[in-house]
Amino acid sequence: MVKWSRREFLVESGAAAVACTSGMGMAAQAPQSSPTMAIAKWGGDQPASSEEIDRIAEQLTVKAIESIGGIGRFVRRGDVVWVKPNIAWIQPPEMAANTNPQVVATIVRLCLEAGAKRVKVGDNPVDIAQQTYEISKIAAAVRPLGADVVFMDRSRFRRVAIKGEVLKEIPIYPEILEADVVINVPIAKHHGLATITVAMKNFMGVVEERRTFHQAIGQTLTDLCLFLKPKISIVDAVRVLVARGPRGGRLEDVRTPLAVAAGTDIVALDAWAAEVLGRNPDDISSVVCGHKAGLGTKDYRSLNPVEISVA
Amino acid sequence: MKRPRWSAATLRRWVQIFSLVLFVALFLATRPIPAQDPPQWLKLYFWFDPLLLVVTFLAAHAVPLMALLAVVTILVTIVCGRVFCGWICPLGVVHDIAGRLIHGRRSPPATNRYSGWQRAKYYLLAGMVVAALFGAHWVTIFDPLVLFYRTLATGLFPTVQWAVEEGSTVVYQKDPGIGPVRLVRVTEPLYLAFRDYLRGVEKQAFLGSGGILAFFVIIVALNAYRRRWWCRFVCPLGAFLGVLAWRPLLRRTVSSESCNQCELCGMNCHGAAASSEGQKWRPSECFGCLNCTDACRRGALRFQWSWPWRSDPSLASVDLSRRGLLASAVGGITLFGFFRATPLGRGKVFNPKLIRPPGARPEPEFLARCTGCGLCMKICPTGGLQPCFLEAGLEGIWTPRLVPKLGYCSYDCNRCGLVCPTEAIQPMTLEEKRRVKMGLATFDTTRCIPYAYGRDCMVCEEHCPIPEKAIYFHEVEILTRDGEVRRIKQPRVDPAKCIGCGVCEHVCVYRDMPAIRVTSANESRHLSNQPLPPWEETYY
């Protein structure tokens, strides 16, 4: 079993970068030939503790991002980055109701290492924001790295015309629109109505007046994603919630697929996550709507995703 | 004779300001800090309030252990008189400031004479104590600490918060500035500091705060009529301490050789305890403010130790009449009768809107302890705890109830019970509190979207915090307008699992009248208000 420490990873990736620039002729092509989707899965022994899961989460995240061309493909020096995890519920990481804090922290670290000027981390939680940020352990994981933990005050949202099929105008948190890059970091979960909530639905966390969305969940999410045009999403499937979502609260409903997928096609990522959660992508209205509207493809295998086994 | 710059009265003023600042600081510290229990010292002032101690003991026959600290206040008062009123009471400080602003340092002798009406507070207290013997705790809602805390919590602070939030929002949304200099660079850091260190709940507002504020404004404004009007004529805590200060060990004495009857002492007196009538002094009315010794140009006044049994010709007694006290007692019993001789008071009906905080004792016991101080409302992380108006009858005015439309009971919070100074809301662990039923959610199927309009909606189900879900879906086939068969998920409530936290009502898509509403039915604290006992069974 190969364990990647932070230092080893830096040395290896540095060496790879040197190799790329030293006349192998790949540097110029790299962005174009980078895969649109990568899935990193844990191939080692089953973890026995939460700490081991945290370490695995970090390695999977690093590998998944590396396999789609590295964070530098999306984040440039001096960029303001918004990392958008799912921080919706007052639940600890074990309940799989919020994104794994180590996945979020790893992305924050990579962004800062890539030269981002500021990395903001924030969501519009369903539960009380201050409590949710703490109990989810995400605030504590990213603060020491130098990220700005941002609370989205209701009064700070601005109405934006998004001109979708059903959503015409919606209050969006302005710093999301002002950021140079938004990195969407959802967790894969069961959802009582939408069946699953993953990457597309995670963007419900940047808007207000969202209660009516559920009456046409597929189309509203498609409208929103078409407007936001997300460049990269990283799906946390280290722990997933397979029933009584999205809030959860029972360990019996949590599974540990130990996987992280990164990609540029938000619909494909949702389709993959649906399968991880034991569902058929064709039954998920947001996936079907997104596919129809050209937001992405529901047939994620057609993208030839890179599959890496990490151990 | 030149007066020293640093006099005893100046020291007293600084102590008062310190006390006011401490009171407000403890108030501001009463916030829901994530993943942290509120510290017990937030109740500091209430521990030292002997009126709460005695009246709660009379009404409920029990007091929290720390409330026994009020014995200290009792002993200090027996020895030194009403110094609590003059040096510590934060509402007294507010009155002093108001009086100073209105009258300046001295009052003209005509408006600062002792009035026989100052006995009214003793008669009121006597009546209230008799009512407390029967279980009515009502007098504590007029306790000065309680009254001030409640006004701060539901009126004054929310007003400041409104100004800060709305003001900074206007600047944020309009983003004015001169060239590259943006005004938000000043306002946003201020707003963020307010949000992160002072504020409890975003956009917090309280029902009926106008009445609470008006009451406060009126009693402060009455300083214009008489300096410290509230403390002289009404304050039940002042009256209680006045009784204890009947013959204090520390007494004011006048040396008749030096005194030239100039009346400076009387004009400066805060309590009208020493005015006109020769050189007499009323210890029960004296706040120990030391203005008189400070004002006397001839050094004729001193405070000296004496033994309680030594009667002193210069002591004027309060002279309450036996007849008056008897009338007060009858009044107290009558008041209690008025309170309880109602359908609600007799337990014949339950008010569906009277959803008490989790762990609240059964209603009569709750009313025998609750002061309506507002600590629970201040610390509630959702802003759902609101002061009652008449939902619990006149006896329950300003006591807390949950208003789910405004805020719900967070599944991960047990703070209200931990801060309640009289344990009207019992302190519980989070696990215990999660098992308490406050009420029951009911669908209004004439409005609920999947029932009434055949569309999917799941906001309530999604938010239900019970891990096993008290709200669940039932899939049914419906006919659309065009006669097409459609499958739809209709939400239902499992009464065995629902704890009445109200989050479903709070998040319902309908903002005017939610289609799922929580009532007090099934509340754990009243067996006779449980139409659906918590037997494990699913009803459908």
Side-chain angles (χ1 to χ4, degrees):
Chain A
M1 187 166 80
V2 177
K3 291 223 172 187
W4 284 65
S5 75
R6 182 182 305 181
R7 177 172 300 170
E8 280 166 356
F9 166 69
L10 283 176
V11 169
E12 293 278 333
S13 51
V18 169
C20 284
T21 48
S22 58
M24 287 173 76
M26 283 174 65
Q29 289 175 352
Q32 284 79 27
S33 64
S34 294
T36 47
M37 186 167 164
I39 303 157
K41 276 191 187 147
W42 181 248
D45 302 333
Q46 273 300 304
S49 68
S50 261
E51 291 74 31
E52 274 181 51
I53 293 185
D54 284 350
R55 274 196 297 278
I56 291 169
E58 181 178 359
Q59 291 178 55
L60 292 174
T61 310
V62 166
K63 273 294 179 189
I65 294 173
E66 190 185 307
S67 308
I68 56 164
I71 202 80
R73 182 179 160 195
F74 307 94
V75 178
R76 304 226 152 76
R77 188 161 289 281
D79 274 358
V80 174
V81 183
W82 188 289
V83 175
K84 165 64 181 76
N86 184 329
I87 325 177
W89 308 97
I90 303 183
Q91 295 281 21
E94 294 73 34
M95 292 297 180
N98 305 304
T99 308
N100 185 301
Q102 281 315 311
V103 172
V104 184
T106 306
I107 293 165
V108 167
R109 177 170 61 76
L110 294 177
C111 290
L112 288 168
E113 283 169 4
K117 185 168 73 179
R118 289 179 75 187
V119 179
K120 301 181 185 182
V121 179
D123 192 5
N124 186 12
V126 181
D127 280 338
I128 308 153
Q130 276 76 5
Q131 326 273 337
T132 311
Y133 277 36
E134 292 308 321
I135 307 287
S136 69
K137 300 203 175 141
I138 291 176
V142 302
R143 258 195 211 108
L145 301 173
D148 297 348
V149 174
V150 183
F151 293 102
M152 300 187 190
D153 289 314
R154 301 239 153 88
S155 53
R156 297 297 184 264
F157 283 71
R158 279 190 196 137
R159 279 190 174 279
V160 180
I162 72 168
K163 302 192 180 87
E165 196 166 305
V166 291
L167 288 183
K168 301 296 175 199
E169 199 187 88
I170 191 99
I172 300 186
Y173 194 67
E175 287 179 46
I176 301 271
L177 302 177
E178 288 157 12
D180 297 305
V181 192
V182 176
I183 303 183
N184 182 23
V185 194
I187 179 172
K189 283 193 290 184
H190 165 258
H191 192 272
L193 188 104
T195 319
I196 63 162
T197 159
V198 197
M200 286 176 72
K201 195 162 181 311
N202 196 32
F203 278 115
M204 257 176 94
V206 304
V207 300
E208 272 288 301
E209 298 180 7
R210 53 191 172 180
R211 291 177 190 182
T212 50
F213 279 28
H214 294 106
Q215 293 169 38
I217 192 73
Q219 196 55 49
T220 45
L221 294 182
T222 303
D223 284 356
L224 187 61
C225 290
L226 281 171
F227 173 76
L228 291 169
K229 299 187 186 67
K231 292 194 185 68
I232 172 174
S233 300
I234 299 160
V235 178
D236 160 27
V238 177
R239 289 189 188 91
V240 298
L241 187 60
V242 294
R244 290 174 192 81
R247 194 184 199 279
R250 283 167 28 120
L251 283 172
E252 295 88 327
D253 299 330
V254 177
R255 302 280 181 276
T256 48
L258 300 173
V260 170
T264 53
D265 185 327
I266 195 168
V267 180
L269 285 166
D270 273 10
W272 169 78
E275 287 185 5
V276 172
L277 292 166
R279 312 275 168 165
N280 183 351
D282 284 312
D283 296 341
I284 316 296
S285 62
S286 53
V287 170
V288 174
C289 280
H291 179 84
K292 263 191 215 150
L295 180 67
T297 174
K298 63 180 180 178
D299 182 15
Y300 75 90
R301 289 193 180 83
S302 69
L303 300 174
N304 298 320
V306 182
E307 298 203 28
I308 322 117
S309 178
V310 184
Chain B
M1 193 173 85
K2 198 165 180 284
R3 282 188 299 159
R5 284 184 65 196
W6 186 263
S7 64
T10 313
L11 173 70
R12 187 257 310 159
R13 280 185 206 105
W14 281 109
V15 172
Q16 280 187 295
I17 287 168
F18 173 78
S19 178
L20 179 63
V21 169
L22 178 65
F23 188 82
V24 174
L26 289 176
F27 165 80
L28 291 174
T30 310
R31 304 171 68 227
I33 310 290
Q36 219 174 297
D37 282 347
Q40 288 299 301
W41 43 258
L42 294 174
K43 312 175 200 172
L44 183 75
Y45 273 79
F46 297 96
W47 285 337
F48 282 94
D49 186 331
L51 185 71
L52 298 192
L53 171 74
V54 170
V55 175
T56 305
F57 182 74
L58 291 179
H61 315 300
V63 282
L65 188 66
M66 290 305 278
L68 291 173
L69 280 171
V71 172
V72 173
T73 314
I74 291 176
L75 293 176
V76 168
T77 309
I78 289 172
V79 174
C80 303
R82 282 172 73 181
V83 287
F84 179 85
C85 305
W87 291 59
I88 306 296
C89 178
L91 187 63
V93 189
V94 173
H95 285 303
D96 273 351
I97 294 169
R100 181 73 178 266
L101 291 175
I102 296 168
H103 297 285
R105 194 179 280 261
R106 290 175 206 156
S107 305
T111 67
N112 213 27
R113 270 195 201 114
Y114 175 76
S115 158
W117 283 102
Q118 288 181 230
R119 285 176 299 194
K121 61 178 175 292
Y122 300 106
Y123 290 122
L124 285 173
L125 177 70
M128 294 294 198
V129 166
V130 172
L133 280 170
F134 290 89
H137 196 244
W138 206 57
V139 63
T140 57
I141 70 169
F142 301 109
D143 178 280
L145 302 180
V146 167
L147 162 64
F148 189 32
Y149 200 97
R150 174 172 57 233
T151 311
L152 274 173
T154 64
L156 299 175
F157 187 72
T159 308
V160 172
Q161 183 176 344
W162 167 82
V164 172
E165 286 178 350
E166 295 299 318
S168 64
T169 299
V170 167
V171 174
Y172 182 88
Q173 298 291 7
K174 299 259 187 282
D175 196 15
I178 307 157
V181 186
R182 315 311 300 180
L183 196 50
V184 287
R185 295 207 152 235
V186 182
T187 57
E188 277 308 276
L190 290 176
Y191 165 71
L192 292 178
F194 179 81
R195 182 193 74 180
D196 294 339
Y197 300 106
L198 295 177
R199 182 179 85 184
V201 182
E202 185 172 18
K203 289 192 178 176
Q204 187 148 35
F206 290 93
L207 295 169
S209 57
I212 294 169
L213 268 175
F215 186 84
F216 182 78
V217 169
I218 289 169
I219 65 165
V220 173
L222 277 165
N223 277 287
Y225 171 65
R226 289 286 187 275
R227 210 181 258 271
R228 291 193 77 152
W229 179 87
W230 170 263
C231 321
R232 287 186 196 182
F233 295 95
V234 186
C235 183
L237 177 59
F240 181 81
L241 297 176
V243 173
L244 296 175
W246 177 55
R247 274 192 188 178
L249 274 59
L250 194 61
R251 297 178 189 179
R252 197 195 73 157
T253 55
V254 186
S255 95
S256 35
E257 304 90 74
S258 315
C259 175
N260 64 350
Q261 316 257 333
C262 72
E263 269 297 316
L264 265 178
C265 52
M267 290 196 290
N268 283 279
C269 183
H270 276 170
S275 52
S276 317
E277 308 145 63
Q279 292 158 345
K280 289 232 173 191
W281 176 63
R282 296 169 192 276
S284 293
E285 304 303 311
C286 174
F287 305 141
C289 71
L290 303 180
N291 273 359
C292 51
T293 52
D294 204 29
C296 186
R297 304 274 164 97
R298 301 168 70 94
L301 293 171
R302 286 176 65 192
F303 275 84
Q304 282 182 328
W305 296 105
S306 180
W307 295 109
W309 53 85
R310 268 180 57 185
S311 179
D312 199 323
S314 72
L315 283 187
S317 64
V318 182
D319 56 272
L320 299 175
S321 76
R322 191 176 299 168
R323 193 175 293 175
L325 284 173
L326 209 62
S328 298
V330 173
I333 295 168
T334 313
L335 180 76
F336 183 71
F338 281 148
F339 279 160
R340 298 287 169 97
T342 61
L344 201 65
R346 305 203 70 176
K348 285 165 75 92
V349 290
F350 292 93
N351 187 340
K353 291 189 170 177
L354 188 62
I355 305 165
R356 290 291 191 191
R361 292 167 192 269
E363 194 62 13
E365 281 179 53
F366 181 80
L367 289 176
R369 285 172 180 257
C370 178
T371 65
C373 63
L375 253 103
C376 54
M377 304 175 208
K378 176 71 174 77
I379 204 147
C380 178
T382 67
L385 286 184
Q386 295 279 325
C388 282
F389 183 51
L390 296 175
E391 289 80 5
L394 185 60
E395 190 183 358
I397 192 167
W398 299 329
T399 56
R401 71 180 173 113
L402 186 74
V403 181
K405 244 177 105 170
L406 294 172
Y408 54 95
C409 180
S410 170
Y411 195 62
D412 302 276
C413 175
N414 57 343
R415 294 180 179 87
C416 53
L418 299 181
V419 296
C420 181
T422 54
E423 294 181 2
I425 310 169
Q426 298 166 80
M428 290 184 175
T429 64
L430 202 52
E431 278 61 43
E432 288 170 332
K433 178 250 154 184
R434 284 174 173 170
R435 285 195 294 271
V436 174
K437 289 177 190 287
M438 287 161 274
L440 176 67
T442 321
F443 280 106
D444 181 344
T445 53
T446 62
R447 311 192 106 218
C448 178
I449 290 168
Y451 289 95
Y453 304 105
R455 290 190 190 183
D456 274 326
C457 175
M458 59 139 342
V459 185
C460 54
E461 188 270 353
E462 161 181 63
H463 282 75
C464 179
I466 313 296
E468 291 79 23
K469 291 285 176 193
I471 299 180
Y472 60 97
F473 286 126
H474 197 70
E475 229 175 287
V476 293
E477 279 182 355
I478 57 153
L479 280 182
T480 65
R481 189 177 176 175
D482 306 322
E484 182 192 325
V485 176
R486 213 160 109 193
R487 293 191 73 78
I488 194 141
K489 289 173 172 172
Q490 288 180 342
R492 306 271 161 93
V493 175
D494 182 341
K497 295 198 169 62
C498 178
I499 57 170
C501 72
V503 68
C504 47
E505 179 175 342
H506 184 69
V507 298
C508 180
V509 177
Y510 289 98
R511 308 305 305 277
D512 58 338
M513 183 171 74
I516 181 166
R517 297 190 287 274
V518 174
T519 71
S520 63
N522 259 15
E523 54 183 345
S524 300
R525 62 196 194 116
H526 291 141
L527 281 171
S528 45
N529 191 21
Q530 293 177 2
L532 295 149
W535 302 322
E536 283 298 328
E537 186 178 341
T538 310
Y539 294 73
Y540 281 111

